[in-house]
Amino acid sequence: MKIAFVGKGGSGKTTLSSLFIRHLAANEAPVVAVDADINQHLGAALGLSEAEAAELPSMGAHLPLIKDYLRGSNPRIASAETMIKTTPPGEGSRLLRVTEDNPVYEACARTVRLDDGDVRLMATGPFTESDLGVSCYHSKVGAVELCLNHLVDGAEEYVVVDMTAGSDSFASGMFTRFDMTFLVAEPTLKGVSVYRQYKEYARDFDVAVKVVGNKVQSPDDVEFLRGEVGDDLLVTLGHSDWVRAMEKGRPLRFELLEADNRMALQTLQNAAEDSYAARDWERYTRQMVHFHLKNAESWGNARTGADLAAQVDPAFVLGEPALVPQPG
Protein backbone atom coordinates (compact mmCIF):
# COMPACT_ATOMS: atom_id res chain seq x y z
CA MET A 1 0.00 0.00 0.00
CA LYS A 2 1.10 3.54 -0.75
CA ILE A 3 0.52 5.88 2.19
CA ALA A 4 1.01 9.66 2.31
CA PHE A 5 1.32 11.88 5.37
CA VAL A 6 0.38 15.51 4.74
CA GLY A 7 -0.43 18.52 6.90
CA LYS A 8 0.41 22.06 7.83
CA GLY A 9 4.01 22.83 8.71
CA GLY A 10 4.53 22.11 12.40
CA SER A 11 1.52 19.78 12.64
CA GLY A 12 3.73 16.82 13.48
CA LYS A 13 3.29 14.94 10.21
CA THR A 14 6.95 13.89 10.05
CA THR A 15 6.83 12.64 13.64
CA LEU A 16 3.58 10.77 12.93
CA SER A 17 4.92 9.25 9.72
CA SER A 18 8.07 8.09 11.53
CA LEU A 19 5.99 6.52 14.29
CA PHE A 20 3.84 4.75 11.71
CA ILE A 21 6.95 3.45 9.94
CA ARG A 22 8.31 2.14 13.25
CA HIS A 23 4.97 0.53 13.98
CA LEU A 24 4.91 -1.23 10.60
CA ALA A 25 8.47 -2.46 11.08
CA ALA A 26 7.53 -3.80 14.51
CA ASN A 27 4.69 -5.69 12.80
CA GLU A 28 7.20 -7.15 10.33
CA ALA A 29 5.76 -5.36 7.29
CA PRO A 30 8.18 -4.56 4.44
CA VAL A 31 8.52 -0.75 4.26
CA VAL A 32 10.02 1.74 1.83
CA ALA A 33 10.01 5.16 3.51
CA VAL A 34 10.36 8.31 1.40
CA ASP A 35 11.18 11.79 2.67
CA ALA A 36 9.55 14.11 0.12
CA ASP A 37 9.39 17.14 2.42
CA ILE A 38 11.47 20.20 1.63
CA ASN A 39 12.84 20.19 5.19
CA GLN A 40 14.12 16.58 5.10
CA HIS A 41 13.58 15.56 8.74
CA LEU A 42 12.35 11.99 8.35
CA GLY A 43 15.79 10.44 8.69
CA ALA A 44 16.38 12.15 12.02
CA ALA A 45 12.89 11.14 13.19
CA LEU A 46 13.83 7.54 12.43
CA GLY A 47 16.91 7.83 14.61
CA LEU A 48 19.66 8.83 12.18
CA SER A 49 22.29 11.22 13.44
CA GLU A 50 22.63 14.60 11.76
CA ALA A 51 25.69 13.34 9.89
CA GLU A 52 23.97 10.11 8.80
CA ALA A 53 20.90 12.02 7.59
CA ALA A 54 23.12 14.41 5.62
CA GLU A 55 24.76 11.45 3.88
CA LEU A 56 21.47 10.09 2.50
CA PRO A 57 21.66 10.07 -1.31
CA SER A 58 19.39 12.50 -3.14
CA MET A 59 16.84 10.97 -5.49
CA GLY A 60 16.90 14.19 -7.49
CA ALA A 61 20.63 13.83 -8.07
CA HIS A 62 20.08 10.31 -9.45
CA LEU A 63 17.19 11.20 -11.74
CA PRO A 64 19.08 10.24 -14.96
CA LEU A 65 19.76 6.76 -13.52
CA ILE A 66 16.14 6.42 -12.38
CA LYS A 67 14.82 7.38 -15.81
CA ASP A 68 17.20 5.10 -17.66
CA TYR A 69 16.32 2.11 -15.48
CA LEU A 70 12.55 2.61 -15.56
CA ARG A 71 12.51 3.21 -19.30
CA GLY A 72 13.73 -0.34 -19.90
CA SER A 73 12.92 -1.37 -23.46
CA ASN A 74 9.69 0.64 -23.73
CA PRO A 75 9.54 1.45 -27.48
CA ARG A 76 7.30 4.48 -26.90
CA ILE A 77 10.03 6.37 -25.04
CA ALA A 78 12.68 7.55 -27.48
CA SER A 79 15.25 8.30 -24.76
CA ALA A 80 15.51 8.66 -21.02
CA GLU A 81 15.96 12.41 -21.54
CA THR A 82 12.39 12.69 -22.81
CA MET A 83 10.93 11.20 -19.62
CA ILE A 84 9.31 13.65 -17.20
CA LYS A 85 7.95 13.17 -13.69
CA THR A 86 4.57 11.96 -14.96
CA THR A 87 5.78 9.57 -17.68
CA PRO A 88 3.67 6.42 -17.31
CA PRO A 89 4.97 2.89 -17.73
CA GLY A 90 4.10 0.76 -20.73
CA GLU A 91 5.10 -2.49 -22.34
CA GLY A 92 8.84 -2.93 -21.84
CA SER A 93 9.10 -0.55 -18.88
CA ARG A 94 10.85 -1.75 -15.76
CA LEU A 95 8.69 -1.74 -12.64
CA LEU A 96 9.74 -1.38 -9.02
CA ARG A 97 8.74 -3.72 -6.19
CA VAL A 98 8.97 -3.02 -2.49
CA THR A 99 11.08 -6.00 -1.48
CA GLU A 100 13.36 -6.44 -4.48
CA ASP A 101 16.90 -5.23 -5.04
CA ASN A 102 17.42 -3.00 -8.06
CA PRO A 103 19.75 -0.21 -9.26
CA VAL A 104 17.30 2.51 -8.11
CA TYR A 105 17.31 1.29 -4.52
CA GLU A 106 21.06 0.67 -4.68
CA ALA A 107 21.68 4.29 -5.66
CA CYS A 108 18.92 6.07 -3.74
CA ALA A 109 17.93 3.98 -0.70
CA ARG A 110 19.68 3.24 2.55
CA THR A 111 18.75 0.69 5.18
CA VAL A 112 17.71 2.16 8.54
CA ARG A 113 17.86 -0.27 11.44
CA LEU A 114 15.04 0.24 13.92
CA ASP A 115 14.39 -1.49 17.22
CA ASP A 116 12.11 -4.10 15.69
CA GLY A 117 13.19 -4.33 12.07
CA ASP A 118 14.77 -2.59 9.10
CA VAL A 119 13.25 -0.21 6.55
CA ARG A 120 14.50 1.28 3.31
CA LEU A 121 14.73 5.07 3.40
CA MET A 122 14.83 7.28 0.33
CA ALA A 123 15.00 11.08 0.24
CA THR A 124 14.36 13.65 -2.48
CA GLY A 125 17.29 15.71 -1.24
CA PRO A 126 17.22 19.15 0.39
CA PHE A 127 16.59 22.43 -1.39
CA THR A 128 20.11 23.81 -1.67
CA GLU A 129 21.59 27.27 -2.16
CA SER A 130 22.40 26.39 -5.76
CA ASP A 131 18.69 25.83 -6.41
CA LEU A 132 17.70 29.35 -5.36
CA GLY A 133 16.22 31.34 -8.22
CA VAL A 134 16.74 28.61 -10.81
CA SER A 135 14.49 25.71 -9.83
CA CYS A 136 11.56 24.78 -7.66
CA TYR A 137 11.26 22.00 -5.14
CA HIS A 138 8.74 20.17 -7.28
CA SER A 139 11.55 19.30 -9.70
CA LYS A 140 13.13 17.26 -6.91
CA VAL A 141 9.88 15.60 -5.87
CA GLY A 142 9.44 14.59 -9.50
CA ALA A 143 11.81 11.67 -8.92
CA VAL A 144 9.42 10.33 -6.28
CA GLU A 145 6.41 10.69 -8.57
CA LEU A 146 8.19 8.87 -11.41
CA CYS A 147 9.07 5.99 -9.08
CA LEU A 148 5.51 5.79 -7.73
CA ASN A 149 4.20 5.64 -11.30
CA HIS A 150 6.34 2.56 -11.88
CA LEU A 151 5.85 0.83 -8.53
CA VAL A 152 3.76 -2.28 -7.97
CA ASP A 153 3.08 -3.00 -4.31
CA GLY A 154 1.13 -5.76 -2.64
CA ALA A 155 -1.40 -5.94 0.18
CA GLU A 156 1.11 -6.38 2.99
CA GLU A 157 3.82 -4.08 1.62
CA TYR A 158 4.09 -0.39 2.42
CA VAL A 159 5.46 2.71 0.79
CA VAL A 160 5.17 5.59 3.28
CA VAL A 161 5.80 9.11 1.96
CA ASP A 162 6.28 12.15 4.19
CA MET A 163 4.99 14.83 1.84
CA THR A 164 5.88 18.50 1.70
CA ALA A 165 3.84 20.72 4.01
CA GLY A 166 0.64 22.54 3.12
CA SER A 167 -1.09 22.27 -0.24
CA ASP A 168 2.11 22.06 -2.33
CA SER A 169 1.35 18.38 -2.91
CA PHE A 170 -1.16 19.49 -5.54
CA ALA A 171 1.50 21.03 -7.77
CA SER A 172 1.46 17.72 -9.67
CA GLY A 173 -0.60 14.56 -9.79
CA MET A 174 1.35 12.88 -7.01
CA PHE A 175 -1.55 13.32 -4.58
CA THR A 176 -3.44 10.65 -6.57
CA ARG A 177 -0.67 8.07 -6.17
CA PHE A 178 -1.74 6.84 -2.72
CA ASP A 179 -4.18 4.28 -1.39
CA MET A 180 -4.61 6.36 1.76
CA THR A 181 -3.65 9.90 2.71
CA PHE A 182 -3.36 10.67 6.42
CA LEU A 183 -3.77 14.38 7.02
CA VAL A 184 -2.25 15.38 10.35
CA ALA A 185 -4.14 18.28 11.94
CA GLU A 186 -3.84 20.13 15.22
CA PRO A 187 -7.11 21.17 16.93
CA THR A 188 -6.95 24.77 15.66
CA LEU A 189 -8.48 26.64 12.73
CA LYS A 190 -5.08 26.81 11.05
CA GLY A 191 -4.61 23.14 11.75
CA VAL A 192 -7.69 22.15 9.77
CA SER A 193 -7.24 24.69 6.95
CA VAL A 194 -5.08 22.29 4.93
CA TYR A 195 -7.79 19.65 5.33
CA ARG A 196 -10.33 21.88 3.59
CA GLN A 197 -7.91 22.54 0.74
CA TYR A 198 -7.08 18.86 0.39
CA LYS A 199 -10.72 17.78 0.33
CA GLU A 200 -11.57 20.39 -2.28
CA TYR A 201 -8.69 19.53 -4.59
CA ALA A 202 -9.01 15.76 -4.16
CA ARG A 203 -12.80 15.56 -4.52
CA ASP A 204 -12.77 14.78 -8.25
CA PHE A 205 -10.08 12.11 -8.01
CA ASP A 206 -11.49 9.70 -5.40
CA VAL A 207 -8.54 10.32 -3.09
CA ALA A 208 -9.04 8.63 0.28
CA VAL A 209 -8.29 11.10 3.11
CA LYS A 210 -8.44 10.46 6.83
CA VAL A 211 -7.60 13.05 9.48
CA VAL A 212 -5.24 12.22 12.33
CA GLY A 213 -5.71 14.68 15.18
CA ASN A 214 -2.37 15.49 16.78
CA LYS A 215 -1.40 17.36 19.96
CA VAL A 216 -4.89 16.74 21.33
CA GLN A 217 -5.12 17.65 25.00
CA SER A 218 -8.79 17.41 25.96
CA PRO A 219 -12.24 16.14 24.93
CA ASP A 220 -12.95 19.67 23.74
CA ASP A 221 -10.06 19.34 21.24
CA VAL A 222 -11.60 16.12 19.94
CA GLU A 223 -15.03 17.76 19.71
CA PHE A 224 -13.53 20.68 17.79
CA LEU A 225 -11.85 18.41 15.25
CA ARG A 226 -15.00 16.31 14.85
CA GLY A 227 -17.01 19.45 14.21
CA GLU A 228 -14.56 20.63 11.55
CA VAL A 229 -13.83 17.40 9.68
CA GLY A 230 -16.73 15.12 10.60
CA ASP A 231 -16.38 11.43 9.93
CA ASP A 232 -12.99 11.97 8.29
CA LEU A 233 -11.49 12.14 11.78
CA LEU A 234 -9.94 8.70 12.17
CA VAL A 235 -8.06 8.91 15.46
CA THR A 236 -6.31 11.37 17.76
CA LEU A 237 -2.98 11.37 19.55
CA GLY A 238 -2.03 13.36 22.61
CA HIS A 239 1.12 14.17 24.52
CA SER A 240 3.89 11.60 24.30
CA ASP A 241 6.84 11.38 26.67
CA TRP A 242 8.34 8.92 24.18
CA VAL A 243 8.25 11.52 21.39
CA ARG A 244 9.60 14.20 23.69
CA ALA A 245 12.56 11.97 24.59
CA MET A 246 13.19 11.28 20.89
CA GLU A 247 13.17 14.99 20.11
CA LYS A 248 15.75 15.52 22.85
CA GLY A 249 18.03 12.95 21.25
CA ARG A 250 17.35 10.41 23.98
CA PRO A 251 15.27 7.81 22.14
CA LEU A 252 13.67 4.99 24.10
CA ARG A 253 12.89 1.57 22.71
CA PHE A 254 9.78 1.73 20.56
CA GLU A 255 8.03 -0.87 22.69
CA LEU A 256 7.88 1.80 25.43
CA LEU A 257 5.65 4.11 23.35
CA GLU A 258 2.47 4.83 25.29
CA ALA A 259 -0.27 2.19 24.89
CA ASP A 260 -2.85 4.72 23.67
CA ASN A 261 -0.52 5.92 20.97
CA ARG A 262 0.35 2.37 19.93
CA MET A 263 -3.37 1.68 19.59
CA ALA A 264 -3.75 4.83 17.48
CA LEU A 265 -1.00 3.64 15.13
CA GLN A 266 -2.75 0.28 14.80
CA THR A 267 -5.89 2.19 13.82
CA LEU A 268 -3.89 3.83 11.03
CA GLN A 269 -2.65 0.47 9.84
CA ASN A 270 -6.17 -0.97 9.90
CA ALA A 271 -7.44 1.95 7.80
CA ALA A 272 -4.56 1.48 5.36
CA GLU A 273 -5.34 -2.22 5.03
CA ASP A 274 -9.02 -1.47 4.48
CA SER A 275 -8.12 0.94 1.68
CA TYR A 276 -6.46 -1.88 -0.23
CA ALA A 277 -9.87 -3.42 -0.92
CA ALA A 278 -10.83 -0.27 -2.83
CA ARG A 279 -7.71 -0.28 -5.00
CA ASP A 280 -8.53 0.18 -8.67
CA TRP A 281 -5.48 -0.23 -10.89
CA GLU A 282 -7.36 0.90 -14.00
CA ARG A 283 -8.37 4.18 -12.33
CA TYR A 284 -4.83 4.56 -10.97
CA THR A 285 -3.40 4.18 -14.48
CA ARG A 286 -6.04 6.46 -15.99
CA GLN A 287 -5.22 9.24 -13.51
CA MET A 288 -1.53 8.78 -14.22
CA VAL A 289 -2.15 9.29 -17.94
CA HIS A 290 -4.45 12.26 -17.25
CA PHE A 291 -1.76 14.20 -15.41
CA HIS A 292 0.92 13.16 -17.88
CA LEU A 293 -1.05 14.60 -20.79
CA LYS A 294 -1.68 17.82 -18.83
CA ASN A 295 2.01 18.20 -18.05
CA ALA A 296 2.99 17.34 -21.61
CA GLU A 297 0.76 20.05 -23.04
CA SER A 298 1.57 22.73 -20.46
CA TRP A 299 5.37 22.41 -20.39
CA GLY A 300 6.72 18.92 -21.12
CA ASN A 301 6.58 18.98 -24.92
CA ALA A 302 8.33 22.34 -25.06
CA ARG A 303 10.93 21.29 -22.48
CA THR A 304 11.86 18.00 -24.16
CA GLY A 305 11.18 18.83 -27.80
CA ALA A 306 9.11 15.66 -28.10
CA ASP A 307 5.42 14.74 -28.31
CA LEU A 308 5.06 13.21 -24.86
CA ALA A 309 1.50 12.08 -25.51
CA ALA A 310 3.09 9.38 -27.67
CA GLN A 311 4.61 7.87 -24.50
CA VAL A 312 1.18 6.63 -23.39
CA ASP A 313 0.60 2.92 -24.00
CA PRO A 314 -3.22 2.67 -24.28
CA ALA A 315 -3.22 -1.09 -23.71
CA PHE A 316 -1.12 -1.00 -20.53
CA VAL A 317 -2.63 -1.12 -17.04
CA LEU A 318 -0.27 -1.02 -14.08
CA GLY A 319 -1.07 -3.60 -11.44
CA GLU A 320 -0.15 -6.83 -9.76
CA PRO A 321 -0.85 -8.83 -12.93
CA ALA A 322 2.11 -6.87 -14.30
CA LEU A 323 4.41 -8.81 -11.98
CA VAL A 324 6.24 -10.55 -14.80
CA PRO A 325 9.96 -10.92 -15.50
CA GLN A 326 11.49 -7.56 -16.31
CA PRO A 327 13.52 -6.77 -19.44
CA GLY A 328 17.26 -7.03 -18.97
Side-chain angles (χ1 to χ4, degrees), residues 181-203:
T181 295
F182 291 128
L183 191 147
V184 181
E186 301 169 83
T188 65
L189 289 175
K190 286 186 178 181
V192 298
S193 62
V194 175
Y195 163 79
R196 295 194 185 92
Q197 290 178 302
Y198 227 100
K199 287 291 286 187
E200 180 181 351
Y201 293 150
R203 184 175 294 115

Side-chain angles (χ1 to χ4, degrees), residues 67-115:
K67 289 180 177 181
D68 187 64
Y69 179 76
L70 297 180
R71 177 192 174 212
S73 59
N74 187 333
R76 295 177 177 272
I77 302 176
S79 67
E81 289 74 20
T82 63
M83 294 178 73
I84 61 174
K85 63 183 180 180
T86 53
T87 295
E91 183 180 355
S93 296
R94 291 191 180 97
L95 305 178
L96 303 175
R97 286 77 178 225
V98 171
T99 58
E100 70 177 359
D101 293 321
N102 59 55
V104 174
Y105 291 157
E106 182 179 349
C108 302
R110 294 295 179 265
T111 298
V112 177
R113 306 196 181 283
L114 304 174
D115 293 341

Side-chain angles (χ1 to χ4, degrees), residues 14-79:
T14 298
T15 298
L16 262 294
S17 60
S18 72
L19 291 177
F20 186 60
I21 291 165
R22 290 176 184 270
H23 172 80
L24 294 174
N27 285 349
E28 300 182 345
V31 180
V32 173
V34 182
D35 190 345
D37 192 353
I38 191 170
N39 293 311
Q40 301 284 281
H41 292 318
L42 184 58
L46 290 173
L48 296 185
S49 67
E50 184 175 334
E52 290 171 330
E55 290 174 356
L56 288 172
S58 165
M59 293 180 70
H62 289 90
L63 190 54
L65 178 150
I66 293 172
K67 289 180 177 181
D68 187 64
Y69 179 76
L70 297 180
R71 177 192 174 212
S73 59
N74 187 333
R76 295 177 177 272
I77 302 176
S79 67

Side-chain angles (χ1 to χ4, degrees), residues 272-292:
E273 291 175 348
D274 290 344
S275 73
Y276 186 79
R279 175 176 284 192
D280 183 342
W281 284 108
E282 289 189 1
R283 181 184 69 198
Y284 187 88
T285 304
R286 186 169 60 251
Q287 291 174 341
M288 186 190 315
V289 169
H290 168 78
F291 283 102
H292 179 63

